[in-house]
Amino acid sequence: MNKEILKKGFSKLCTAKAMTELYEENFKQVSKYVHATSRGHEAIQIALGLQLLPQDYAFPYYRDDAMLLAFGLKPYDLMLQLLAKKDDPFSGGRTYYSHPSLKDDDKPKIPHQSSATGMQAIPATGVAMGMQYKELQGLNDPSIENPISVCSLGDASVTEGEIAEAFQMAALKQMPILYLVQDNGWDISANEAETRAQNAAEYAAGFHGLEAISIDGANFIESYEAIEKVIATIRKERRPFLVHAKVPLLNHHTSGVRMEWYRDDLDEARSRDPYPVIRQQLLDNGFSEKEINAIEDEAKKKVASDYKKALKAEDPKPEDLFTHDFVPTPVTEEKGTREPEGADKVVMVDCALFAVEELMREHKECLLYGQDVGGRLGGVFREAATLAQKFGDDRVFNTPIQEAFIVGSTVGISAVGLKPIVEVQFADYIWPGLNQLFTEVSRSCYLSNGKWPVSMILRVPIGAYGSGGPYHSSSVESVVTNIRGIKIAYPSNGADLKGLMKAAYHDPNPVVILEHKGLYWSKVPGTLTATSKEPAADYVLPFGKAWVLQEIWKQDDVETLTIVTYGMGVHWAYNASGELDMRDQIEIIDLRTLFPLDEDTIMKSVKKTGKCLVVTEEPSNNSFARALAGKIQEECFKYLDAPVMTIGSENMPAIPLNSTLEQTMIPSTAKVKSKIEALLNY
């Protein structure tokens, strides 16, 4: 083997080993924050880390500090994170040890990933999908060697369902990704016999097109040579591989779960230590004991000096909490022509369709995928009709029924510089995607200290319409608004939907657009006002700007009321005020976006009118609407002549299929009218 590579590998392994030993010697000092180390896994990690290029993307997991050293990071860099210091290069002291996020020019790129085991497989596969897309569209850089994506996993995580979604897509689309599975035989205290029917390589055999090999991951030379062949194949043939590396776990699961509490195999594990193996390999390749000891001594000195330096580093200040939740957006004002002269009125679903078409025509980085959006159907609501025919099957395509992959892959697609627009077919089926939306998408910008915002649009058809029943009618905004780090739109008409779609595209942050199915074609009685003149292609509508669609003046001689609402609620409120002939007494605020929320417009209106009704389609208990009502009550208490009230659906577990029961469940113009009368007469 190349002696320089062997020497470098040994140096990195000695460094990782010395770090583990130092952490154990200073356990009380370093265990304030939970950490894990690579002890026992070092050989395979270093064998991989030494071979990646700056254009590659890597998704290490929380036991991969040796891999990070092989990428070129110093012990000091890792220790800043170990001690949660301000200058932690990954997260600024926000996340655990060995949870990297890196965007250095001279190192592999590392998007943020969480502690949730196996969740990184979908974003990592998204990177590979993005690389493939760029190659197909001619957006790649042909002057550099083909990049690859690498996903590092523990064998226990391969039992996660989201791993299957990642493997399925990688195999189906033949993506350039390497899954490195480090198998130490343990979950935490549960061993492989208790938890796995087969190892990762055997499991991968069920995914046709995903080639898998098993190696001794504690043998540096074997690991290096196997990884070298696999990487060369992926770079050339652009297809996925899985390397199953058997390794011993020679340190605790984490500093908080000590190995002596549950391990019964420690002597056997120590017999497979990669350290004496690589030490002997140096001797076999002509290194003297003196040279080997010098390498080891140098590593120990470096680790000790970096630790002393890290202890003295500055901690974050309280104000450091409030940075990098979002990247500033360039769209801050309404611009362009909302109602072009001579333009036809179009239904809401077409406003969205035309917005996406204009974006795709202008931006080759834009792609659209989800269930049934491809050329054969164009979306179950025809919201993607003709797009595949116009832009090709590589830009508009179907995915399997994999909500987690649809949502989480946007992390990787965005990381390589593309802009994904994705769809969950119904709000009722967003739940499998929430793990990725909450754990990976929403926190990426904040926990990477602003390096890796996820620029994506997630479209979600929502709401009750035409006896959709319990699995096609749900409202989910209260769950989604409780995920910090995403922006949320819920428009009531086509012009707003188009303007918000354009703003969302140019926003570098993740955006969820909730689109009410009952407003798509204005077939529900009383929703004709959801149709709009189609705005011009240059029209953008910023997030966080509510629309006072029915404005009144301050009046002391009659009772007045503010209705705060969004989506279908806007139409119930508008129709109710008209039927009551009270348009001069009722101010209606269409929120348009649920986050950011235009609190100034809301509070100004309520202080003027003295009464407020919040209208939602969700069951009102524990809802976004009820929380908003509480906020209004808190801010406007001394201006109020009555309690802030809410109206929503009945607080039942699901919306029934039967049309009579459905209408009994959800609000209506008549129900809102009755609530208005009660509040005005309070």
Side-chain angles (χ1 to χ4, degrees):
M1 187 178 192
N2 181 293
K3 290 183 71 172
E4 276 306 305
I5 292 171
L6 192 56
K7 180 180 177 181
K8 189 181 286 188
F10 182 65
S11 174
K12 300 295 183 186
L13 191 147
C14 288
T15 302
K17 179 173 175 285
M19 287 163 61
T20 299
E21 290 165 353
L22 181 141
Y23 298 164
E24 286 299 295
E25 290 163 11
N26 297 273
F27 182 74
K28 287 190 177 179
Q29 197 163 27
V30 302
S31 62
K32 178 179 179 181
Y33 306 114
V34 173
H35 65 271
T37 73
S38 59
R39 190 72 190 93
H41 293 228
E42 302 100 328
I44 183 62
Q45 290 183 19
I46 295 164
L48 172 65
L50 291 177
Q51 299 189 57
L52 295 190
L53 303 174
Q55 62 265 36
D56 295 329
Y57 281 68
F59 289 74
Y61 82 127
Y62 55 78
R63 201 176 301 286
D64 285 352
D65 57 6
M67 187 185 297
L68 297 175
L69 293 172
F71 288 164
L73 290 152
K74 308 301 181 195
Y76 179 69
D77 298 322
L78 303 183
M79 290 167 179
L80 287 174
Q81 189 173 55
L82 174 80
L83 301 168
K85 296 295 187 177
K86 179 183 175 72
D87 291 332
D88 154 29
F90 307 129
S91 73
R94 289 175 174 171
T95 195
Y96 299 105
Y97 177 71
S98 200
H99 284 58
S101 51
L102 200 66
K103 218 171 186 178
D104 291 358
D105 290 340
D106 63 340
K107 298 181 186 70
K109 306 302 173 279
I110 309 178
H112 164 263
Q113 64 258 261
S114 71
S115 291
T117 52
M119 297 303 98
Q120 69 270 36
I122 286 177
T125 309
V127 162
M129 186 160 76
M131 289 173 175
Q132 184 181 66
Y133 175 83
K134 289 173 80 171
E135 290 165 25
L136 290 168
Q137 295 296 316
L139 298 172
N140 59 319
D141 183 352
S143 69
I144 60 172
E145 198 168 357
N146 279 335
I148 68 169
S149 179
V150 173
C151 178
S152 176
L153 298 159
D155 197 59
S157 72
V158 177
T159 57
E160 285 276 7
E162 293 184 22
I163 299 291
E165 295 193 18
F167 287 2
Q168 180 71 242
M169 281 298 285
L172 177 68
K173 300 287 187 180
Q174 290 295 283
M175 297 175 187
I177 185 167
L178 165 58
Y179 300 102
L180 171 63
V181 180
Q182 300 173 56
D183 181 3
N184 61 34
W186 289 92
D187 287 20
I188 297 180
S189 66
N191 63 30
E192 58 188 327
E194 295 174 77
T195 57
R196 305 198 273 290
Q198 66 281 306
N199 68 37
E202 292 163 342
Y203 181 58
F207 296 89
H208 297 168
L210 174 57
E211 188 171 339
I213 62 170
S214 288
I215 63 170
D216 178 3
N219 183 313
F220 178 75
I221 291 179
E222 179 182 334
S223 295
Y224 191 94
E225 291 176 347
I227 293 290
E228 188 174 38
K229 289 177 184 174
V230 167
I231 287 178
T233 302
I234 299 174
R235 291 202 197 281
K236 182 181 178 183
E237 299 180 13
R238 316 308 279 153
R239 61 188 177 95
F241 264 85
L242 182 143
V243 173
H244 169 244
K246 193 70 179 168
V247 292
L249 178 60
L250 300 181
N251 196 230
H252 315 293
H253 169 73
T254 67
S255 55
V257 184
R258 313 288 287 172
M259 56 187 173
E260 56 268 18
W261 295 348
Y262 61 91
R263 293 283 296 277
D264 55 10
D265 67 337
L266 287 172
D267 289 340
E268 187 277 333
R270 288 171 186 137
S271 73
R272 296 185 287 120
D273 188 341
Y275 166 70
V277 175
I278 192 172
R279 200 177 196 284
Q280 185 61 48
Q281 288 171 341
L282 262 73
L283 290 169
D284 294 344
N285 278 271
F287 288 87
S288 68
E289 284 280 358
K290 185 178 178 182
E291 288 175 301
I292 292 169
N293 290 338
I295 295 168
E296 192 160 12
D297 289 345
E298 186 181 345
K300 288 178 179 177
K301 285 176 186 174
K302 176 65 173 170
V303 167
S305 65
D306 279 10
Y307 178 62
K308 287 178 184 175
K309 184 180 169 187
L311 286 173
K312 296 175 183 175
E314 185 183 0
D315 285 318
K317 293 179 169 61
E319 57 267 27
D320 294 327
L321 175 70
F322 302 100
T323 60
H324 302 303
D325 50 343
F326 292 99
V327 175
T329 176
V331 180
T332 57
E333 298 295 333
E334 185 175 6
K335 290 182 180 177
T337 307
R338 184 179 173 94
E339 295 190 351
E341 198 172 324
D344 293 330
K345 273 200 167 187
V346 296
V347 293
M348 190 168 169
V349 72
D350 284 347
C351 276
L353 174 64
F354 300 150
V356 174
E357 182 176 338
E358 289 165 1
L359 288 166
M360 296 194 80
R361 190 175 293 120
E362 190 176 347
H363 303 282
K364 212 171 180 182
E365 307 82 26
C366 180
L367 64 161
L368 171 70
Y369 58 94
Q371 294 164 28
D372 299 304
V373 300
R376 200 173 287 115
L377 184 60
V380 294
F381 302 105
R382 305 295 288 156
E383 75 282 2
T386 74
L387 293 180
Q389 289 84 351
K390 289 173 179 172
F391 299 106
D393 294 336
D394 294 329
R395 293 190 68 188
V396 181
F397 57 89
N398 295 326
T399 65
I401 301 171
Q402 295 185 338
E403 287 81 6
F405 186 89
I406 291 167
V407 174
S409 59
T410 64
V411 176
I413 295 278
S414 170
V416 299
L418 302 171
K419 182 76 179 200
I421 302 175
V422 298
E423 294 190 12
V424 169
Q425 203 163 75
F426 293 90
D428 309 71
Y429 302 127
I430 198 173
W431 312 115
L434 282 185
N435 200 359
Q436 290 288 330
L437 187 64
F438 175 79
T439 309
E440 309 298 336
V441 174
S442 72
R443 297 176 167 195
S444 182
C445 185
Y446 187 68
L447 292 180
S448 69
N449 230 16
K451 292 190 292 295
W452 293 104
V454 179
S455 186
M456 58 86 87
I457 301 172
L458 171 59
R459 297 181 65 184
V460 184
I462 191 170
Y465 166 62
S467 295
Y471 302 108
H472 297 83
S473 307
S474 297
S475 294
V476 299
E477 59 264 31
S478 291
V479 173
V480 178
T481 52
N482 265 287
I483 301 175
R484 279 73 179 175
I486 58 175
K487 297 185 179 182
I488 305 154
Y490 199 150
S492 67
N493 61 80
D496 284 357
L497 177 52
K498 185 173 184 182
L500 290 166
M501 184 78 74
K502 291 293 184 76
Y505 183 85
H506 296 292
D507 198 312
N509 303 288
V511 174
V512 177
I513 302 182
L514 304 173
E515 305 173 19
H516 200 292
K517 304 189 298 291
L519 300 178
Y520 267 157
W521 301 286
S522 290
K523 289 183 178 179
V524 175
T527 61
L528 196 58
T529 45
T531 62
S532 313
K533 281 190 173 183
E534 188 202 345
D538 65 349
Y539 180 65
V540 290
L541 183 62
F543 277 58
K545 304 274 183 161
W547 177 34
V548 184
L549 71 92
Q550 187 166 287
E551 189 171 5
I552 64 172
W553 62 97
K554 182 168 177 57
Q555 301 166 68
D556 296 322
D557 53 337
V558 295
E559 293 294 318
T560 54
L561 168 70
T562 296
I563 298 180
V564 180
T565 187
Y566 53 92
M568 184 65 82
V570 172
H571 301 275
W572 293 326
Y574 183 75
N575 295 333
S577 69
E579 289 182 16
L580 288 167
D581 197 20
M582 288 185 170
R583 292 219 163 114
D584 290 342
Q585 293 172 251
I586 297 172
E587 186 152 291
I588 301 175
I589 296 174
D590 180 352
L591 293 176
R592 299 202 283 207
T593 64
L594 308 187
F595 190 89
L597 186 64
D598 188 352
E599 292 187 14
D600 289 344
T601 296
I602 296 167
M603 304 311 171
K604 181 181 175 184
S605 176
V606 175
K607 288 173 183 178
K608 174 174 63 178
T609 63
K611 291 182 177 178
C612 181
L613 174 64
V614 182
V615 179
T616 180
E617 187 173 316
E618 280 193 300
S620 58
N621 281 2
N622 306 310
S623 65
F624 166 80
R626 189 60 61 80
L628 178 55
K631 176 78 171 175
I632 294 167
Q633 191 122 309
E634 185 179 320
E635 295 268 328
C636 302
F637 184 75
K638 65 182 181 181
Y639 298 90
L640 293 171
D641 296 325
V644 178
M645 295 187 181
T646 61
I647 181 171
S649 291
E650 299 297 334
N651 293 294
M652 302 305 291
I655 297 176
L657 180 65
N658 177 272
S659 58
T660 300
L661 296 177
E662 178 189 58
Q663 291 307 308
T664 304
M665 173 85 175
I666 65 175
S668 64
T669 296
K671 291 177 186 178
V672 172
K673 191 163 68 169
S674 176
K675 195 75 172 181
I676 290 170
E677 290 176 313
L679 185 50
L680 286 173
N681 293 325
Y682 184 87

